[in-house]
Protein backbone atom coordinates (compact mmCIF):
# COMPACT_ATOMS: atom_id res chain seq x y z
CA UNK A 1 0.00 0.00 0.00
CA UNK A 2 2.87 2.40 0.82
CA UNK A 3 4.50 1.86 -2.60
CA UNK A 4 1.14 2.56 -4.24
CA UNK A 5 0.75 5.77 -2.23
CA UNK A 6 4.30 6.88 -3.16
CA UNK A 7 3.62 6.39 -6.87
CA UNK A 8 0.38 8.34 -6.65
CA UNK A 9 2.07 11.10 -4.64
CA UNK A 10 4.79 11.46 -7.29
CA UNK A 11 2.12 11.69 -9.98
CA UNK A 12 0.32 14.34 -7.90
CA UNK A 13 3.46 16.52 -7.65
CA UNK A 14 4.18 16.28 -11.39
CA UNK A 15 0.56 17.14 -12.21
CA UNK A 16 0.66 20.21 -9.97
CA UNK A 17 3.90 21.44 -11.55
CA UNK A 18 2.50 21.09 -15.08
CA UNK A 19 -0.82 22.66 -14.09
CA UNK A 20 0.89 25.69 -12.52
CA UNK A 21 2.88 26.33 -15.71
CA UNK A 22 -0.19 25.98 -17.94
CA UNK A 23 -2.30 28.28 -15.72
CA UNK A 24 0.41 30.95 -15.65
CA UNK A 25 0.92 30.89 -19.42
CA UNK A 26 -2.80 30.90 -20.25
CA UNK A 27 -3.51 33.85 -17.94
CA UNK A 28 -0.46 35.75 -19.17
CA UNK A 29 -1.33 35.47 -22.87
CA UNK A 30 -4.90 36.65 -22.29
CA UNK A 31 -5.46 40.15 -23.77
CA UNK A 32 -5.59 43.23 -21.53
CA UNK A 33 -3.07 44.92 -19.26
CA UNK A 34 -3.95 45.18 -15.53
CA UNK A 35 -2.18 48.55 -15.11
CA UNK A 36 -3.99 50.08 -18.10
CA UNK A 37 -7.30 48.72 -16.82
CA UNK A 38 -6.74 50.20 -13.34
CA UNK A 39 -5.72 53.65 -14.61
CA UNK A 40 -8.31 53.95 -17.36
CA UNK A 41 -8.08 54.74 -21.05
CA UNK A 42 -6.84 58.31 -20.52
CA UNK A 43 -3.76 57.35 -18.47
CA UNK A 44 -0.36 58.54 -19.65
CA UNK A 45 2.12 55.85 -20.84
CA UNK A 46 4.70 56.78 -18.20
CA UNK A 47 2.05 56.48 -15.47
CA UNK A 48 1.07 53.06 -16.76
CA UNK A 49 4.72 52.03 -16.88
CA UNK A 50 5.26 53.20 -13.29
CA UNK A 51 2.27 51.19 -12.08
CA UNK A 52 3.47 48.12 -14.00
CA UNK A 53 6.83 48.45 -12.24
CA UNK A 54 5.11 48.86 -8.86
CA UNK A 55 3.03 45.70 -9.46
CA UNK A 56 6.05 43.77 -10.72
CA UNK A 57 4.52 43.29 -14.16
CA UNK A 58 7.64 44.58 -15.95
CA UNK A 59 9.78 41.64 -14.82
CA UNK A 60 10.49 38.77 -17.25
CA UNK A 61 7.77 36.17 -17.31
CA UNK A 62 9.96 33.36 -16.01
CA UNK A 63 10.93 35.53 -13.01
CA UNK A 64 7.28 36.29 -12.30
CA UNK A 65 6.39 32.59 -12.61
CA UNK A 66 9.02 31.47 -10.12
CA UNK A 67 8.15 34.33 -7.75
CA UNK A 68 4.49 33.35 -7.93
CA UNK A 69 5.00 29.60 -7.51
CA UNK A 70 7.60 30.17 -4.77
CA UNK A 71 5.15 32.37 -2.90
CA UNK A 72 2.41 29.76 -3.21
CA UNK A 73 4.69 27.09 -1.76
CA UNK A 74 5.16 29.28 1.33
CA UNK A 75 1.47 30.21 1.58
CA UNK A 76 1.90 33.70 0.09
CA UNK A 77 -0.61 34.08 -2.76
CA UNK A 78 0.41 37.65 -3.51
CA UNK A 79 -1.40 41.00 -3.30
CA UNK A 80 -4.50 41.77 -5.34
CA UNK A 81 -3.84 44.42 -7.99
CA UNK A 82 -7.34 45.85 -7.63
CA UNK A 83 -8.05 45.66 -3.89
CA UNK A 84 -4.42 45.84 -2.66
CA UNK A 85 -5.16 43.19 -0.07
CA UNK A 86 -3.59 39.71 0.39
CA UNK A 87 -5.11 37.18 -1.99
CA UNK A 88 -4.94 34.54 0.75
CA UNK A 89 -7.30 36.63 2.92
CA UNK A 90 -9.72 37.11 0.02
CA UNK A 91 -9.67 33.37 -0.75
CA UNK A 92 -10.17 32.46 2.92
CA UNK A 93 -13.22 34.73 3.14
CA UNK A 94 -14.78 33.21 0.02
CA UNK A 95 -13.77 29.62 0.79
CA UNK A 96 -15.95 29.60 3.91
CA UNK A 97 -18.92 29.88 1.58
CA UNK A 98 -17.90 27.83 -1.48
CA UNK A 99 -16.46 24.84 0.41
CA UNK A 100 -19.48 24.24 2.69
CA UNK A 101 -21.75 24.76 -0.32
CA UNK A 102 -19.85 22.13 -2.35
CA UNK A 103 -19.84 19.65 0.55
CA UNK A 104 -23.53 20.30 1.22
CA UNK A 105 -24.42 19.69 -2.44
CA UNK A 106 -22.18 16.60 -2.65
CA UNK A 107 -23.77 15.13 0.48
CA UNK A 108 -27.26 15.72 -0.91
CA UNK A 109 -26.41 14.20 -4.30
CA UNK A 110 -24.85 11.10 -2.70
CA UNK A 111 -27.75 10.61 -0.27
CA UNK A 112 -30.18 10.78 -3.18
CA UNK A 113 -28.19 8.77 -5.72
CA UNK A 114 -27.14 5.66 -3.78
CA UNK A 115 -30.62 4.56 -2.65
CA UNK A 116 -32.09 5.59 -6.03
CA UNK A 117 -29.44 3.55 -7.86
CA UNK A 118 -30.05 0.57 -5.59
CA UNK A 119 -33.81 0.84 -6.17
CA UNK A 120 -33.40 1.05 -9.95
CA UNK A 121 -31.02 -1.94 -10.07
CA UNK A 122 -33.17 -4.04 -7.72
CA UNK A 123 -36.30 -3.34 -9.79
CA UNK A 124 -34.69 -3.42 -13.23
CA UNK A 125 -37.30 -3.21 -15.99
CA UNK A 126 -40.17 -2.61 -13.56
CA UNK A 127 -41.99 0.53 -12.46
CA UNK A 128 -39.40 1.57 -9.84
CA UNK A 129 -36.57 1.40 -12.37
CA UNK A 130 -38.59 3.24 -15.03
CA UNK A 131 -39.55 6.00 -12.61
CA UNK A 132 -35.98 6.50 -11.39
CA UNK A 133 -34.60 6.57 -14.94
CA UNK A 134 -37.23 9.12 -16.02
CA UNK A 135 -36.34 11.33 -13.05
CA UNK A 136 -32.62 11.11 -13.87
CA UNK A 137 -33.27 12.08 -17.48
CA UNK A 138 -35.03 15.20 -16.27
CA UNK A 139 -32.23 15.90 -13.79
CA UNK A 140 -29.58 15.70 -16.50
CA UNK A 141 -31.58 17.69 -19.07
CA UNK A 142 -32.62 20.68 -16.92
CA UNK A 143 -29.91 23.39 -16.65
CA UNK A 144 -29.06 24.00 -13.01
CA UNK A 145 -29.34 27.81 -13.29
CA UNK A 146 -32.89 27.44 -14.61
CA UNK A 147 -33.71 24.96 -11.85
CA UNK A 148 -32.19 27.42 -9.35
CA UNK A 149 -34.54 30.17 -10.54
CA UNK A 150 -37.51 27.79 -10.19
CA UNK A 151 -36.45 27.06 -6.61
CA UNK A 152 -36.28 30.78 -5.87
CA UNK A 153 -39.74 31.37 -7.37
CA UNK A 154 -41.34 28.48 -5.48
CA UNK A 155 -39.61 28.37 -2.09
CA UNK A 156 -38.41 31.95 -1.67
CA UNK A 157 -41.02 34.13 -3.38
CA UNK A 158 -44.24 32.06 -3.21
CA UNK A 159 -43.83 29.96 -0.06
CA UNK A 160 -41.28 32.24 1.68
CA UNK A 161 -39.54 29.28 3.31
CA UNK A 162 -36.07 30.46 2.29
CA UNK A 163 -34.43 33.74 1.38
CA UNK A 164 -34.02 34.52 -2.31
CA UNK A 165 -30.28 35.10 -1.99
CA UNK A 166 -27.40 36.50 0.02
CA UNK A 167 -25.38 34.99 2.83
CA UNK A 168 -25.79 36.07 6.49
CA UNK A 169 -22.40 34.74 7.70
CA UNK A 170 -21.55 31.90 10.05
CA UNK A 171 -22.43 33.66 13.31
CA UNK A 172 -25.68 31.70 13.21
CA UNK A 173 -24.82 28.29 11.60
CA UNK A 174 -28.47 27.24 11.26
CA UNK A 175 -29.33 30.44 9.40
CA UNK A 176 -26.21 30.12 7.24
CA UNK A 177 -27.02 26.51 6.28
CA UNK A 178 -30.59 27.52 5.50
CA UNK A 179 -29.32 30.21 3.11
CA UNK A 180 -27.16 27.57 1.35
CA UNK A 181 -29.97 25.01 1.06
CA UNK A 182 -31.53 26.18 -2.20
CA UNK A 183 -28.14 26.67 -3.95
CA UNK A 184 -27.05 23.22 -2.69
CA UNK A 185 -30.24 21.60 -4.05
CA UNK A 186 -29.79 23.37 -7.39
CA UNK A 187 -26.22 22.06 -7.61
CA UNK A 188 -26.97 18.59 -6.21
CA UNK A 189 -29.90 17.35 -8.30
CA UNK A 190 -28.14 17.25 -11.71
CA UNK A 191 -25.16 15.55 -10.05
CA UNK A 192 -27.47 13.10 -8.27
CA UNK A 193 -29.05 12.18 -11.62
CA UNK A 194 -25.64 11.37 -13.12
CA UNK A 195 -24.52 9.46 -10.03
CA UNK A 196 -27.77 7.43 -9.95
CA UNK A 197 -27.29 6.27 -13.52
CA UNK A 198 -23.67 5.29 -12.84
CA UNK A 199 -24.72 3.49 -9.66
CA UNK A 200 -27.48 1.59 -11.47
CA UNK A 201 -25.18 0.51 -14.32
CA UNK A 202 -22.46 -0.63 -11.93
CA UNK A 203 -24.90 -2.64 -9.82
CA UNK A 204 -26.49 -4.28 -12.87
CA UNK A 205 -23.02 -5.34 -14.04
CA UNK A 206 -22.29 -6.73 -10.58
CA UNK A 207 -25.50 -8.79 -10.68
CA UNK A 208 -24.02 -10.87 -13.50
CA UNK A 209 -20.94 -11.85 -11.48
CA UNK A 210 -20.53 -15.41 -10.18
CA UNK A 211 -20.37 -14.36 -6.52
CA UNK A 212 -23.73 -12.62 -6.89
CA UNK A 213 -25.31 -15.73 -8.44
CA UNK A 214 -23.91 -17.71 -5.52
CA UNK A 215 -25.45 -15.26 -3.07
CA UNK A 216 -28.81 -15.54 -4.83
CA UNK A 217 -28.51 -19.37 -4.83
CA UNK A 218 -28.10 -19.24 -1.05
CA UNK A 219 -31.54 -17.69 -0.77
CA UNK A 220 -30.87 -13.95 -0.77
CA UNK A 221 -33.28 -11.76 -2.68
CA UNK A 222 -31.90 -9.49 -5.40
CA UNK A 223 -32.15 -6.49 -3.08
CA UNK A 224 -30.44 -8.30 -0.19
CA UNK A 225 -27.63 -9.55 -2.46
CA UNK A 226 -27.09 -6.05 -3.84
CA UNK A 227 -26.98 -4.48 -0.39
CA UNK A 228 -24.72 -7.09 1.24
CA UNK A 229 -22.36 -7.99 -1.62
CA UNK A 230 -22.93 -5.72 -4.60
CA UNK A 231 -22.75 -2.24 -3.12
CA UNK A 232 -19.07 -2.28 -2.13
CA UNK A 233 -18.00 -3.73 -5.49
CA UNK A 234 -19.98 -1.08 -7.35
CA UNK A 235 -18.29 1.77 -5.48
CA UNK A 236 -15.24 2.18 -7.77
CA UNK A 237 -17.05 3.96 -10.65
CA UNK A 238 -19.23 5.76 -8.10
CA UNK A 239 -16.15 7.08 -6.24
CA UNK A 240 -14.78 8.35 -9.55
CA UNK A 241 -17.93 10.35 -10.21
CA UNK A 242 -18.08 11.64 -6.63
CA UNK A 243 -14.49 12.87 -6.89
CA UNK A 244 -15.18 14.62 -10.18
CA UNK A 245 -18.43 16.05 -8.83
CA UNK A 246 -16.71 17.61 -5.83
CA UNK A 247 -14.26 19.34 -8.14
CA UNK A 248 -17.09 20.56 -10.35
CA UNK A 249 -19.18 21.73 -7.40
CA UNK A 250 -16.27 23.64 -5.85
CA UNK A 251 -15.06 25.29 -9.05
CA UNK A 252 -18.13 25.29 -11.23
CA UNK A 253 -20.68 27.04 -9.03
CA UNK A 254 -20.08 30.44 -10.65
CA UNK A 255 -23.56 30.73 -12.16
CA UNK A 256 -25.35 29.40 -9.07
CA UNK A 257 -23.44 31.86 -6.88
CA UNK A 258 -24.53 34.63 -9.20
CA UNK A 259 -28.19 33.51 -9.07
CA UNK A 260 -28.20 33.46 -5.25
CA UNK A 261 -25.82 36.43 -4.75
CA UNK A 262 -23.37 34.30 -2.81
CA UNK A 263 -19.92 35.90 -2.40
CA UNK A 264 -17.99 32.66 -3.01
CA UNK A 265 -14.92 31.69 -5.02
CA UNK A 266 -16.91 31.56 -8.25
CA UNK A 267 -17.90 35.20 -7.99
CA UNK A 268 -14.34 36.13 -6.97
CA UNK A 269 -12.94 34.53 -10.15
CA UNK A 270 -15.63 36.17 -12.27
CA UNK A 271 -14.92 39.63 -10.82
CA UNK A 272 -11.13 39.17 -11.05
CA UNK A 273 -11.26 38.20 -14.71
CA UNK A 274 -13.37 41.24 -15.55
CA UNK A 275 -10.93 43.48 -13.60
CA UNK A 276 -7.79 41.84 -15.07
CA UNK A 277 -6.62 41.06 -11.54
CA UNK A 278 -4.24 38.38 -12.82
CA UNK A 279 -2.65 37.39 -9.53
CA UNK A 280 -6.06 36.60 -8.03
CA UNK A 281 -7.14 34.60 -11.10
CA UNK A 282 -3.89 32.60 -11.17
CA UNK A 283 -3.88 31.88 -7.45
CA UNK A 284 -7.55 30.92 -7.14
CA UNK A 285 -7.47 28.70 -10.24
CA UNK A 286 -4.29 27.04 -8.96
CA UNK A 287 -5.91 26.37 -5.60
CA UNK A 288 -8.93 24.85 -7.33
CA UNK A 289 -6.66 22.66 -9.47
CA UNK A 290 -4.82 21.65 -6.30
CA UNK A 291 -8.15 20.67 -4.73
CA UNK A 292 -9.11 18.65 -7.82
CA UNK A 293 -5.80 16.78 -7.92
CA UNK A 294 -5.80 16.09 -4.18
CA UNK A 295 -9.38 14.79 -4.36
CA UNK A 296 -8.41 12.49 -7.23
CA UNK A 297 -5.43 11.31 -5.16
CA UNK A 298 -7.77 10.46 -2.28
CA UNK A 299 -10.13 8.72 -4.73
CA UNK A 300 -7.21 6.59 -5.96
CA UNK A 301 -6.46 5.62 -2.37
CA UNK A 302 -10.11 4.75 -1.90
CA UNK A 303 -9.89 2.54 -5.02
CA UNK A 304 -7.01 0.65 -3.47
CA UNK A 305 -8.98 0.23 -0.26
CA UNK A 306 -12.08 -1.03 -2.07
CA UNK A 307 -10.17 -3.31 -4.49
CA UNK A 308 -6.68 -4.38 -3.24
CA UNK A 309 -5.87 -5.80 -6.71
CA UNK A 310 -5.41 -2.25 -7.99
CA UNK A 311 -2.34 -1.73 -5.77
CA UNK A 312 -0.30 -4.13 -7.89
CA UNK A 313 -1.64 -3.03 -11.27
CA UNK A 314 -0.42 0.57 -11.19
Amino acid sequence: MWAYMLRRLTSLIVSLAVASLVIFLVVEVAPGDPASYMLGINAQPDTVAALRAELGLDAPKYVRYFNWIGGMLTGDLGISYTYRSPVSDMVADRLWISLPLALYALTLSTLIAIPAGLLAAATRGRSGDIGVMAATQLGVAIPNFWFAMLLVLLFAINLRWFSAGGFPGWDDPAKALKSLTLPAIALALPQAAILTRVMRSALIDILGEDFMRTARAKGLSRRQALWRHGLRNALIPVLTIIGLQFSFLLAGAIIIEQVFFLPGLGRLIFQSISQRDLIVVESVVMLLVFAVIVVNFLVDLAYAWVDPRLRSRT
Side-chain angles (χ1 to χ4, degrees):
M1 185 66 182
W2 288 108
Y4 178 83
M5 289 179 62
L6 184 60
R7 289 195 296 271
R8 289 302 179 196
L9 193 59
T10 304
S11 174
L12 180 149
I13 293 170
V14 172
S15 299
L16 286 175
V18 173
S20 68
L21 186 59
V22 171
I23 290 168
F24 181 82
L25 292 176
V26 168
V27 173
E28 288 297 321
V29 299
D33 177 57
S36 299
Y37 179 87
M38 294 169 65
L39 293 173
I41 58 175
N42 296 322
Q44 297 298 318
D46 55 341
T47 307
V48 174
L51 182 57
R52 285 181 57 81
E54 180 184 343
L55 297 175
L57 296 172
D58 58 342
K61 283 186 170 48
Y62 72 90
V63 173
R64 292 171 53 201
Y65 170 74
F66 284 111
N67 287 339
W68 169 63
I69 205 68
M72 291 206 71
L73 290 175
T74 59
D76 180 10
L77 306 185
I79 303 296
S80 165
Y81 299 156
T82 304
Y83 300 103
R84 300 303 179 96
S85 61
V87 177
S88 55
D89 291 347
M90 297 170 65
V91 170
D93 291 340
R94 307 302 183 100
L95 197 60
W96 281 109
I97 299 172
S98 294
L99 185 59
L101 175 61
L103 291 173
Y104 195 177
L106 187 66
T107 302
L108 288 178
S109 70
T110 305
L111 290 176
I112 294 170
I114 289 182
L118 278 168
L119 174 64
T123 59
R124 183 184 182 188
R126 300 199 297 272
S127 57
D129 183 28
I130 295 171
V132 170
M133 286 299 97
T136 59
Q137 285 180 347
L138 279 177
V140 172
I142 297 176
N144 61 0
F145 69 89
W146 187 75
F147 185 61
M149 290 187 284
L150 285 182
L151 292 175
V152 170
L153 285 173
L154 178 61
F155 294 105
I157 296 176
N158 291 331
L159 299 177
R160 299 182 184 277
W161 290 354
F162 297 91
S163 63
F167 185 71
W170 287 103
D171 295 335
D172 185 346
K175 195 172 180 181
L177 282 177
K178 186 177 179 181
S179 71
L180 294 180
T181 297
L182 291 185
I185 293 173
L187 285 170
L189 286 188
Q191 306 306 314
I194 296 170
L195 193 57
T196 298
R197 299 177 76 90
V198 173
M199 187 79 190
R200 175 185 178 273
S201 298
L203 286 170
I204 287 174
D205 290 341
I206 293 293
L207 279 172
E209 298 289 338
D210 292 339
F211 69 92
M212 292 297 289
R213 284 194 286 268
T214 302
R216 294 292 305 278
K218 289 181 178 178
L220 294 180
S221 67
R222 173 182 285 199
R223 189 168 301 181
Q224 289 171 327
L226 281 173
W227 180 256
R228 295 182 187 179
H229 305 287
L231 182 58
R232 176 167 173 165
N233 290 282
L235 282 180
I236 289 180
V238 174
L239 286 172
T240 302
I241 300 300
I242 289 176
L244 294 174
Q245 284 185 342
F246 176 77
S247 309
F248 170 80
L249 293 170
L250 185 60
I254 296 175
I255 296 176
I256 295 300
E257 289 182 0
Q258 293 286 340
V259 171
F260 290 96
F261 304 104
L262 294 175
L265 284 176
R267 288 193 73 187
L268 178 61
I269 293 177
F270 183 81
Q271 292 167 347
S272 300
I273 291 173
S274 63
Q275 295 167 342
R276 295 294 298 152
D277 203 343
L278 300 184
I279 190 67
V280 176
V281 177
E282 290 169 352
S283 299
V284 175
V285 173
M286 188 63 212
L287 286 176
L288 293 174
V289 169
F290 176 78
V292 171
I293 292 176
V294 168
V295 167
N296 286 334
F297 172 71
L298 295 176
V299 169
D300 285 342
L301 295 186
Y303 284 173
W305 174 73
V306 171
D307 187 354
R309 294 172 299 177
L310 294 175
R311 301 173 196 170
S312 58
R313 290 181 186 173
T314 55

